[in-house]
Amino acid sequence: MTLRILTGITTTGTPHLGNYVGAIRPAIAASRAAGVDSFFFLADYHALVKCDDPARIARSRLEIAATWLACGLDPARVTFYQQSDIPEIPKLTWLLTCVTAKGLLNRAHAYKAAVDQNTQNREDPDAAITAGLYMYPVLMAADILAFNANKVPVGRDQVQHIEMARDIGQRFNHIYGKAWRAAGGAGEPFVLPEAAIEESVATLPGLDGRKMSKSYDNTVPLFEGGARATREAIARIVTDSREPGEPKDPDSSSLFAIFRAFAGDAESTGFRHELESGLGWGEAKQKLFARIDAEIAPLRERYDALMAHPDDIEDALREGAQKARAVAQPRIETLCRAVGLGALGTRTAKSAGGTKKGAKRARIASFRDHDGFRFRVFAEDGEELLLSRAYADPKTAGAVAKALASQAVVGTLDAVRFGVTVAGERVAESPVFPDIAAREAGVKKLHAALASLREGE
Ligand code: TRP
């Protein structure tokens, strides 16, 4: 089952060890699971809401992209891009803005907190609050709804935003569902996303025992400043005044908690015993540094290499944007037609978004990813209908793609997906549709696409 998982990273800061343990490491591990189609993006438009220092925004975009790549995010396997490289996102933001109740935005936690602060300070309630802060949830809804993401892994503070994305999506579906189908869309315009909160991922404590956070100034840098900066930060971890030889309480200092985030159970238990039997704090800090560095040093090497070649990072993000736009562009075109912004005449309507020559045909696009050689099948209007399994060599993948038009047998896999077999072998699956009706519309579209492929042969 292919679940589309999407998450954004606001590009305002420099990643620290807490980000690595709490977000980066688990997200990359999850992106390697089978049956997930992961979208990761740099939320650089969102960053502008929080920061008006251009140098800092630019630097942070570079650092965060390099960090995720260095930590093992594989751009061949996932879709990794910058929000600002996807013109469909601000387009969709406006369509969504026009169905969003102002009252809904009035209730957003971040906006309300800013108003409360102003009221407390006896200022005008909206003093220094930008329309960007106010509109933040709509932009975030567009990030998610543009790609029909099923799950959105976020921290607790973002759950309200996901609920708002659902509300906004639902409202749009209600108003424009019919028009969407009349415009050639399948099922509902938007899948309603769900927040996925990682309960098992611990928040890392900082140097002073509070949650590691830039706003507390208690962080251990991840790569910035090299091994030396990591060592210096660790030396500043707050401990009690027990001397070497005195038993320590491992649970009363951040030191042990940070160690545990990097070590297996057996190693952690060993370290606990050492502390309890009088290991000095100084020595304990050395051991903590060694443990962290064993994991981070090889990543840091990759990070430094990437930071030395920003053009390569740019290339990876550009490619990611192409992949992302292949999904978003046809969707936004249909959405525009649905709200009445499509072409005025039939001649142009046929070629909307297409080549100047006339109507677009269904098409098959081959590509290579982490698992091998695959292809996708797109409908005339650009909607993605099938993703093939991975083949070890491009020849086989090509032969299967070719056989599809004449030999494909379409069957449903479950309520929200269909699949295709060729000569009795499952070769491709559909994306996840919002409901049975949408799946059925998808099956119809696939039959039309296969017919159009046969014609083109
Ligand atoms: N607002 C999110 C944060 O601050 C970042 C973000 C922007 C995001 N767009 C998103 C997260 C879409 C998930 C999905 O953490």
Side-chain angles (χ1 to χ4, degrees):
M1 162 108 168
T2 313
L3 261 192
R4 183 160 286 168
I5 300 186
L6 174 145
T7 199
I9 310 117
T10 310
T11 51
T12 41
T14 301
H16 56 67
L17 219 53
N19 303 132
Y20 174 73
V21 168
I24 302 169
R25 195 173 60 182
I28 292 174
S31 78
R32 295 195 175 122
V36 299
D37 179 15
S38 296
F39 281 56
F40 289 96
F41 68 95
L42 307 179
D44 47 1
Y45 281 143
H46 279 105
L48 297 181
V49 172
K50 295 181 181 164
C51 172
D52 61 7
D53 174 352
R56 189 158 146 224
I57 297 271
R59 178 84 193 156
S60 173
R61 282 167 48 224
L62 181 64
E63 287 175 347
I64 291 179
T67 298
W68 282 75
L69 293 170
C71 291
L73 189 75
D74 178 358
R77 185 172 189 120
V78 308
T79 305
F80 183 48
Y81 56 97
Q82 303 191 86
Q83 186 184 33
S84 61
D85 284 338
I86 316 292
E88 287 74 19
I89 290 176
K91 269 195 186 181
L92 180 57
T93 300
W94 186 251
L95 301 193
L96 297 177
T97 300
C98 293
V99 302
T100 300
K102 178 167 174 288
L104 181 78
L105 300 179
N106 288 340
R107 292 192 288 277
H109 298 322
Y111 171 68
K112 261 180 29 185
V115 169
D116 288 350
Q117 184 84 51
N118 281 334
T119 313
Q120 248 181 26
N121 298 343
R122 294 165 195 266
E123 305 242 24
D124 179 272
D126 278 329
I129 297 178
T130 65
L133 176 72
Y134 194 67
M135 294 294 298
Y136 190 106
V138 188
L139 176 58
M140 189 157 155
D143 290 333
I144 299 167
L145 299 175
F147 300 100
N148 265 351
N150 304 100
K151 292 247 182 253
V152 187
V154 284
R156 288 211 166 278
D157 61 321
Q158 296 293 315
V159 171
Q160 188 195 30
H161 289 147
I162 311 302
E163 282 162 5
M164 290 178 146
R166 285 179 72 89
D167 280 354
I168 296 168
Q170 202 158 29
R171 182 98 190 109
F172 192 98
N173 285 354
H174 179 72
I175 299 174
Y176 291 114
K178 247 191 178 163
W180 158 262
R181 288 180 288 277
E188 295 291 335
F190 298 121
V191 166
L192 303 182
E194 276 172 37
I197 310 156
E198 258 304 348
E199 304 283 2
S200 64
V201 172
T203 47
L204 202 66
L207 302 178
D208 57 0
R210 292 183 291 176
K211 177 186 167 181
M212 190 179 286
S213 162
K214 212 178 74 187
S215 43
Y216 295 147
D217 195 22
N218 66 354
T219 62
V220 177
L222 177 55
F223 298 133
E224 203 194 28
R228 196 171 138 197
T230 308
R231 194 190 289 276
E232 282 170 3
I234 289 172
R236 284 188 283 119
I237 293 179
V238 177
T239 55
D240 59 29
S241 54
R242 270 171 241 206
E243 299 286 330
E246 285 184 72
K248 315 286 186 303
D249 172 17
D251 301 313
S252 70
S253 162
S254 304
L255 197 149
F256 183 64
I258 299 175
F259 188 90
R260 232 175 13 195
F262 286 87
D265 286 346
E267 206 180 348
S268 298
T269 310
F271 192 52
R272 173 184 284 281
H273 290 326
E274 284 187 273
L275 286 165
E276 286 167 348
S277 22
L279 182 72
W281 286 124
E283 220 179 309
K285 286 177 175 178
Q286 298 283 345
K287 288 201 168 190
L288 173 61
F289 171 75
R291 189 65 203 80
I292 293 176
D293 208 51
E295 181 167 329
I296 299 299
L299 309 183
R300 185 185 295 118
E301 221 169 274
R302 290 216 291 264
Y303 178 81
D304 291 340
L306 283 159
M307 288 297 280
H309 298 100
D311 288 342
D312 293 348
I313 300 178
E314 190 84 41
D315 287 346
L317 290 168
R318 286 255 163 80
E319 259 180 58
Q322 267 182 16
K323 277 206 275 185
R325 292 193 69 196
V327 177
Q329 209 172 8
R331 281 180 50 68
I332 305 305
E333 268 171 23
T334 310
L335 288 165
C336 282
R337 284 203 301 280
V339 301
L341 298 179
L344 294 171
T346 45
R347 171 180 48 79
T348 35
K350 258 198 181 160
S351 60
T355 55
K356 288 193 188 102
K357 283 182 217 137
K360 250 192 167 183
R361 282 193 176 282
R363 66 189 172 89
I364 298 185
S366 309
F367 65 101
R368 183 187 185 163
D369 73 6
H370 193 82
D371 299 314
F373 297 87
R374 299 181 191 265
F375 57 85
R376 288 186 214 268
V377 177
F378 295 94
E380 274 108 337
D381 64 4
E383 184 180 341
E384 181 186 336
L385 296 173
L386 287 176
L387 169 64
S388 80
R389 47 163 283 218
Y391 291 91
D393 68 293
K395 258 193 172 160
T396 320
V400 174
K402 209 154 185 260
L404 215 58
S406 54
Q407 295 182 43
V409 178
V410 186
T412 57
L413 297 178
D414 55 37
V416 288
R417 286 179 316 150
F418 57 82
V420 156
T421 56
V422 167
E425 197 204 341
R426 162 91 50 78
V427 298
E429 292 182 4
S430 75
V432 176
F433 290 95
D435 52 36
I436 295 182
R439 182 201 64 191
E440 285 312 295
V443 169
K444 258 198 192 154
K445 257 190 165 172
L446 178 62
H447 283 299
L450 294 172
S452 134
L453 288 170
R454 280 194 295 275
E455 249 172 61
E457 269 175 1

